[in-house]
Amino acid sequence: MDGMSGPHVIRGSVSLPEAELVWRFSRSSGPGGQHVNTTDTQVELRFDLARTEALPEVWKRRALERLAGRLTDGVVTVRASEHRSQWRNREAAAVRLAALLAEATAPPPRPRRPTRVPRGINERRLRQKKQRSETKRGRSPKNWD
């Protein structure tokens, strides 16, 4: 993989192992003239999430659970074809995969601790409602007899 820009870090010291990435190239669709018809610029990057040893076990379980809808036999697939050069599409696919795994392995958010509404806020709200009610009552006609 000469020419590729370094390891793609997922989070902390964990990065995508180059040996576990499977690359596939095909012709991109869309405009591009003769260039599109002759070069395999579309990139499909596959990473076997279920069998990888690169991720800590907790991360792997979390990612398998969160990406369940995207996986095919435990393999996550990312495509890139927005650039005209294969090299740039390879970069885009690797970055996209790293970002996807970083998001899927992130720890769950801390649970919300329920808090009580302060008494002062409730009292102010009720006072404002009463004031508004008085204002509206003052607008209505008293006696039309």
Side-chain angles (χ1 to χ4, degrees):
M1 220 23 113
D2 50 295
M4 288 288 288
S5 66
H8 294 282
V9 177
I10 295 173
R11 195 169 57 254
S13 62
V14 180
S15 61
L16 289 173
E18 202 59 52
E20 294 185 21
L21 299 178
V22 179
W23 300 90
R24 197 168 142 243
F25 309 102
S26 59
R27 293 190 180 138
S28 288
S29 61
Q34 293 174 345
H35 174 75
V36 159
N37 300 329
T38 58
T39 55
D40 295 337
T41 55
Q42 178 173 289
V43 174
E44 183 179 282
L45 176 58
R46 303 176 73 130
F47 180 67
D48 196 342
L49 188 57
R51 292 183 186 83
T52 187
E53 297 296 321
L55 299 177
E57 199 57 40
V58 178
W59 288 19
K60 192 186 335 185
R61 249 194 332 269
R62 204 179 288 153
L64 285 168
E65 186 179 303
R66 290 182 182 169
L67 297 175
R70 280 194 70 146
L71 298 176
T72 307
D73 297 328
V75 177
V76 64
T77 305
V78 175
R79 275 200 185 92
S81 62
E82 60 267 14
H83 302 289
R84 286 188 62 179
S85 84
Q86 186 186 96
W87 184 83
R88 287 178 67 192
N89 281 331
R90 287 167 80 135
E91 284 289 305
V95 167
R96 203 172 294 157
L97 179 63
L100 182 70
L101 290 175
E103 189 178 323
T105 58
R110 293 163 96 190
R112 181 187 172 276
R113 279 184 35 209
T115 56
R116 282 182 38 233
V117 177
R119 190 184 322 150
I121 290 178
N122 256 345
E123 288 174 355
R124 185 176 11 172
R125 181 180 58 86
L126 293 173
R127 199 169 43 250
Q128 287 173 342
K129 282 178 67 139
K130 198 173 288 286
Q131 195 174 17
R132 185 85 175 134
S133 165
E134 291 298 322
T135 303
K136 288 187 171 197
R137 190 179 305 134
R139 292 179 189 158
S140 66
K142 304 293 182 227
N143 253 342
W144 288 94
D145 295 336

